[in-house]
Coordinates of all heavy atoms in Angstrom, one line a residue:
A23 N 13.1 27.1 -17.9 CA 12.4 26.3 -18.9 C 13.2 26.2 -20.3 O 13.2 25.1 -20.9 CB 11.0 27.0 -19.2
Q24 N 13.7 27.3 -20.7 CA 14.4 27.3 -22.0 C 15.6 26.4 -21.9 O 16.0 25.7 -22.8 CB 14.7 28.7 -22.4 CG 13.6 29.6 -22.8 CD 13.9 31.0 -23.2 OE1 15.0 31.5 -22.9 NE2 13.0 31.6 -23.8
R25 N 16.4 26.4 -20.7 CA 17.5 25.7 -20.6 C 17.3 24.1 -20.7 O 17.9 23.3 -21.3 CB 18.3 25.9 -19.3 CG 19.7 25.3 -19.2 CD 20.6 25.8 -20.2 NE 21.9 25.1 -20.2 CZ 22.2 24.1 -21.0 NH1 21.3 23.8 -21.9 NH2 23.3 23.4 -20.8
V26 N 16.1 23.7 -19.9 CA 15.9 22.2 -19.9 C 15.4 21.8 -21.2 O 15.6 20.7 -21.6 CB 14.9 21.9 -18.7 CG1 15.4 22.2 -17.4 CG2 13.5 22.5 -18.9
Q27 N 14.6 22.8 -22.0 CA 14.3 22.3 -23.4 C 15.5 22.2 -24.2 O 15.6 21.2 -25.0 CB 13.4 23.5 -23.9 CG 12.9 23.3 -25.4 CD 12.1 24.4 -25.8 OE1 10.9 24.3 -26.0 NE2 12.7 25.6 -26.1
E28 N 16.5 23.0 -24.1 CA 17.7 22.9 -24.8 C 18.5 21.6 -24.5 O 19.1 21.0 -25.4 CB 18.6 24.1 -24.6 CG 18.2 25.4 -25.1 CD 19.0 26.6 -24.6 OE1 20.0 26.3 -23.9 OE2 18.5 27.8 -24.9
M29 N 18.4 21.2 -23.2 CA 19.1 19.9 -22.8 C 18.5 18.7 -23.4 O 19.1 17.6 -23.4 CB 19.0 19.8 -21.3 CG 19.8 20.8 -20.6 SD 19.6 20.4 -18.8 CE 20.0 22.0 -18.0
G30 N 17.1 18.8 -23.9 CA 16.6 17.6 -24.5 C 15.4 17.0 -23.7 O 14.9 16.1 -24.0
Y31 N 15.2 17.6 -22.4 CA 14.0 17.2 -21.6 C 12.7 17.5 -22.4 O 12.7 18.6 -23.1 CB 14.1 17.9 -20.3 CG 15.1 17.4 -19.4 CD1 16.3 18.2 -19.2 CD2 15.2 16.1 -18.8 CE1 17.4 17.7 -18.5 CE2 16.2 15.7 -18.0 CZ 17.3 16.5 -17.8 OH 18.3 16.0 -17.0
Q32 N 11.7 16.7 -22.2 CA 10.6 16.8 -23.0 C 9.3 17.5 -22.3 O 8.4 17.8 -23.0 CB 10.2 15.4 -23.6 CG 11.2 14.9 -24.5 CD 11.0 13.4 -24.8 OE1 11.3 12.6 -23.9 NE2 10.6 13.2 -26.0
H33 N 9.3 17.5 -21.0 CA 8.2 18.1 -20.3 C 8.5 18.6 -18.9 O 9.6 18.2 -18.4 CB 7.0 17.0 -20.2 CG 7.3 15.8 -19.5 ND1 7.8 14.7 -20.0 CD2 7.3 15.6 -18.1 CE1 8.1 13.8 -19.0 NE2 7.8 14.3 -17.9
I34 N 7.7 19.4 -18.4 CA 7.9 19.9 -17.0 C 6.7 19.5 -16.2 O 5.5 19.6 -16.6 CB 8.0 21.5 -17.0 CG1 9.3 21.9 -17.6 CG2 8.0 22.0 -15.5 CD1 9.5 23.4 -17.6
L35 N 6.9 19.0 -15.0 CA 5.8 18.6 -14.1 C 6.0 19.6 -13.0 O 7.0 19.9 -12.4 CB 6.2 17.1 -13.6 CG 5.2 16.6 -12.5 CD1 5.1 15.0 -12.9 CD2 5.6 16.8 -11.1
A36 N 4.8 20.0 -12.4 CA 4.8 20.9 -11.4 C 3.8 20.5 -10.3 O 2.6 20.0 -10.6 CB 4.4 22.3 -11.8
Y37 N 4.1 20.6 -9.0 CA 3.4 20.2 -7.9 C 2.3 21.4 -7.7 O 2.4 22.4 -8.2 CB 4.1 20.1 -6.6 CG 5.1 18.9 -6.6 CD1 6.1 18.8 -5.6 CD2 5.0 18.0 -7.6 CE1 7.0 17.7 -5.6 CE2 6.0 16.9 -7.7 CZ 6.9 16.8 -6.7 OH 7.8 15.7 -6.7
D38 N 1.3 21.1 -6.7 CA 0.2 22.0 -6.6 C -0.2 22.2 -5.1 O -0.5 21.1 -4.4 CB -1.0 21.7 -7.4 CG -2.2 22.3 -7.1 OD1 -2.3 23.6 -7.1 OD2 -3.3 21.7 -6.7
H39 N -0.3 23.3 -4.6 CA -1.1 23.6 -3.4 C -1.7 25.1 -3.5 O -0.9 26.0 -3.8 CB -0.2 23.5 -2.1 CG 0.0 22.1 -1.7 ND1 -1.0 21.4 -1.1 CD2 1.1 21.2 -1.8 CE1 -0.6 20.1 -0.9 NE2 0.7 20.1 -1.3
V40 N -2.9 25.2 -3.3 CA -3.6 26.5 -3.4 C -3.2 27.3 -2.1 O -2.9 28.5 -2.3 CB -5.1 26.4 -3.6 CG1 -5.7 27.8 -3.4 CG2 -5.5 25.8 -4.9
L41 N -3.3 26.7 -1.0 CA -3.0 27.4 0.3 C -2.0 26.5 1.1 O -2.0 25.3 1.0 CB -4.3 27.5 1.0 CG -5.4 28.5 0.5 CD1 -6.7 28.2 1.2 CD2 -4.9 29.8 0.6
G42 N -1.3 27.1 2.0 CA -0.5 26.5 2.9 C -0.9 26.8 4.4 O -1.1 28.0 4.6
A43 N -0.9 25.8 5.2 CA -1.5 26.1 6.5 C -0.3 26.6 7.4 O 0.9 26.3 7.2 CB -2.0 24.8 7.1
N44 N -0.6 27.4 8.4 CA 0.3 27.9 9.2 C 0.9 26.8 10.2 O 0.1 26.2 10.8 CB -0.2 29.0 10.2 CG 0.6 29.6 11.2 OD1 1.8 29.3 11.3 ND2 0.2 30.6 12.0
P45 N 2.1 26.6 10.1 CA 2.6 25.3 10.9 C 2.6 25.6 12.4 O 2.7 24.6 13.2 CB 4.2 25.2 10.5 CG 4.5 26.6 9.8 CD 3.2 27.2 9.3
K46 N 2.4 26.9 12.8 CA 2.3 27.2 14.2 C 1.0 27.3 14.9 O 0.7 27.6 16.0 CB 3.0 28.6 14.5 CG 4.6 28.7 14.0 CD 5.1 30.1 14.3 CE 6.6 30.1 13.9 NZ 6.7 30.0 12.3
R47 N 0.0 27.0 14.0 CA -1.4 26.8 14.5 C -1.6 25.8 15.4 O -0.8 24.9 15.4 CB -2.4 26.9 13.2 CG -2.5 25.6 12.6 CD -3.1 25.5 11.3 NE -3.3 24.2 10.9 CZ -2.4 23.4 10.4 NH1 -1.1 23.8 10.5 NH2 -2.6 22.1 10.0
P48 N -2.7 25.8 16.2 CA -3.1 24.7 17.0 C -3.2 23.3 16.2 O -3.7 23.4 15.1 CB -4.4 25.0 17.6 CG -4.4 26.5 17.6 CD -3.7 26.9 16.4
G49 N -2.4 22.3 16.6 CA -2.5 21.1 15.8 C -1.3 21.0 15.1 O -0.9 19.8 14.6
G50 N -0.5 22.0 14.8 CA 0.8 22.0 14.2 C 0.9 21.6 12.7 O -0.2 21.6 12.0
R51 N 1.9 21.0 12.3 CA 2.2 20.6 10.9 C 1.3 19.4 10.6 O 1.4 18.4 11.2 CB 3.7 20.4 10.7 CG 4.0 20.0 9.3 CD 5.5 19.7 9.2 NE 6.3 20.9 9.5 CZ 6.9 21.6 8.5 NH1 6.6 21.3 7.3 NH2 7.5 22.7 8.8
L52 N 0.6 19.5 9.4 CA -0.1 18.3 9.0 C 0.6 17.4 7.9 O 0.4 16.2 7.9 CB -1.4 18.8 8.2 CG -2.5 19.4 9.2 CD1 -3.6 20.0 8.4 CD2 -2.9 18.4 10.1
G53 N 1.5 18.1 7.1 CA 2.1 17.3 6.1 C 3.5 17.9 5.7 O 3.9 18.8 6.4
P54 N 3.9 17.6 4.6 CA 5.3 18.1 4.2 C 5.4 19.5 3.7 O 6.5 20.1 3.7 CB 5.7 17.1 3.0 CG 4.3 16.8 2.3 CD 3.4 16.6 3.5
Y55 N 4.2 20.2 3.5 CA 4.3 21.6 3.0 C 3.3 22.4 3.9 O 2.3 21.9 4.4 CB 3.8 21.7 1.5 CG 4.7 20.9 0.6 CD1 4.1 19.7 0.0 CD2 6.0 21.2 0.4 CE1 5.0 19.0 -0.9 CE2 6.8 20.4 -0.5 CZ 6.3 19.4 -1.2 OH 7.1 18.7 -2.0
T56 N 3.8 23.7 4.1 CA 3.0 24.7 4.8 C 3.0 26.0 4.2 O 3.4 26.1 3.1 CB 3.8 24.8 6.3 OG1 5.0 25.6 6.1 CG2 4.1 23.5 6.9
S57 N 2.5 27.0 4.9 CA 2.5 28.4 4.3 C 3.8 28.9 4.0 O 4.0 29.9 3.3 CB 1.7 29.2 5.3 OG 2.3 29.3 6.6
E58 N 4.8 28.2 4.6 CA 6.3 28.8 4.4 C 6.8 28.2 3.0 O 8.0 28.7 2.6 CB 7.1 28.3 5.5 CG 6.7 28.9 6.9 CD 7.5 28.3 8.0 OE1 8.3 27.4 7.9 OE2 7.2 28.8 9.1
D59 N 6.1 27.4 2.4 CA 6.6 26.8 1.1 C 5.9 27.6 -0.2 O 4.6 27.7 -0.1 CB 6.3 25.3 1.0 CG 7.1 24.6 2.1 OD1 8.3 24.5 1.9 OD2 6.5 23.9 3.0
S60 N 6.7 27.9 -1.1 CA 6.0 28.7 -2.2 C 5.6 27.7 -3.3 O 6.2 26.8 -3.7 CB 7.2 29.6 -2.8 OG 6.7 30.2 -4.0
F61 N 4.3 27.9 -3.7 CA 3.7 27.2 -4.9 C 3.0 28.1 -5.8 O 2.1 28.9 -5.4 CB 2.7 26.2 -4.3 CG 3.3 24.9 -3.7 CD1 3.5 24.9 -2.3 CD2 3.6 23.8 -4.5 CE1 4.1 23.8 -1.7 CE2 4.2 22.7 -3.9 CZ 4.5 22.7 -2.5
M62 N 3.4 28.2 -7.1 CA 2.7 28.9 -8.1 C 1.6 28.0 -8.6 O 1.7 26.7 -8.7 CB 3.6 29.3 -9.2 CG 4.4 30.6 -8.8 SD 5.5 31.1 -10.1 CE 6.7 29.8 -10.1

Side-chain angles (χ1 to χ4, degrees):
Q24 292 179 343
R25 186 70 187 96
V26 298
Q27 179 179 253
E28 291 168 4
M29 292 180 204
Y31 291 101
Q32 295 167 285
H33 61 267
I34 292 182
L35 181 148
Y37 297 166
D38 165 60
H39 281 287
V40 174
L41 296 166
N44 181 0
K46 300 180 179 64
R47 75 195 185 289
R51 181 184 292 266
L52 290 175
Y55 300 111
T56 71
S57 59
E58 297 172 356
D59 297 294
S60 174
F61 284 93
M62 285 181 289

